[in-house]
Amino acid sequence: MADRAVSAVVGKALEASIVIIYIGLLTTTLYAGVLPEYRTAAATEVADRTVADVSGDLQTAVPSSTATNRTEQQVDLPTTIRGETYWIRVQNGEIVLEHPHSDVAEQAPIVLPRSVTSVEGEWRSDEQPVITAERSDDTIEVRLETGER
């Protein structure tokens, strides 16, 4: 008669163990395989959009009127991508997004009018990015600078 009470306790303990093992396996599967790949894919899309937005902002920052000698335009960038800060640089005529995660990197060619003689500078994502364009005679120099966030 005393054995019947023990079998109910052992049965409930086995049920609880199976549930704990199931939750552990599900959590391990999600955090070790599926979620990091999703985060990287989403981060790559955000990086692509960021570079495209910067390219558009560069084009609109160039003064179209010869009466304007200097323009300054603030740029709205995500502070982090995939939870980490990143850099945007101008290298070899391209906008380059560099990220600490090796799978998250983007670049795009810079397309500006012929009057733009140089584009230079870099931004860190946790700073306030600003594009300045200065006209002198028939040439325009564009710089990526930082302000305060």
Side-chain angles (χ1 to χ4, degrees):
M1 239 352 177
D3 291 340
R4 287 178 32 194
V6 172
S7 65
V9 171
V10 170
K12 291 296 179 185
L14 285 174
E15 288 174 10
S17 298
I18 290 171
V19 168
I20 289 172
I21 290 172
Y22 175 74
I23 291 172
L25 287 173
L26 184 64
T27 303
T28 302
T29 302
L30 288 176
Y31 283 110
V34 176
L35 291 181
E37 290 176 17
Y38 170 75
R39 286 184 68 201
T40 301
T44 301
E45 290 296 322
V46 171
D48 183 46
R49 286 189 208 131
T50 301
V51 168
D53 289 347
V54 169
S55 179
D57 290 338
L58 276 173
Q59 291 174 5
T60 58
V62 174
S64 58
S65 169
T66 56
T68 306
N69 289 333
R70 178 179 167 86
T71 61
E72 191 171 296
Q73 178 178 340
Q74 291 191 349
V75 179
D76 187 26
L77 294 177
T79 307
T80 61
I81 295 177
R82 202 177 189 270
E84 298 185 56
T85 57
Y86 57 94
W87 295 262
I88 292 184
R89 293 186 169 95
V90 175
Q91 292 178 337
N92 302 324
E94 292 186 327
I95 301 167
V96 178
L97 186 143
E98 295 178 6
H99 193 274
H101 194 277
S102 61
D103 292 338
V104 180
E106 289 295 326
Q107 59 189 32
I110 297 173
V111 180
L112 294 173
R114 291 182 188 208
S115 59
V116 176
T117 56
S118 70
V119 180
E120 56 188 33
E122 70 178 24
W123 294 322
R124 185 179 159 116
S125 65
D126 58 356
E127 299 172 333
Q128 176 58 51
V130 176
I131 299 172
T132 60
E134 287 192 41
R135 178 186 301 276
S136 62
D137 298 326
D138 293 335
T139 63
I140 300 173
E141 294 180 2
V142 177
R143 285 187 303 282
L144 307 183
E145 299 177 346
T146 57
E148 295 183 20
R149 251 189 210 244

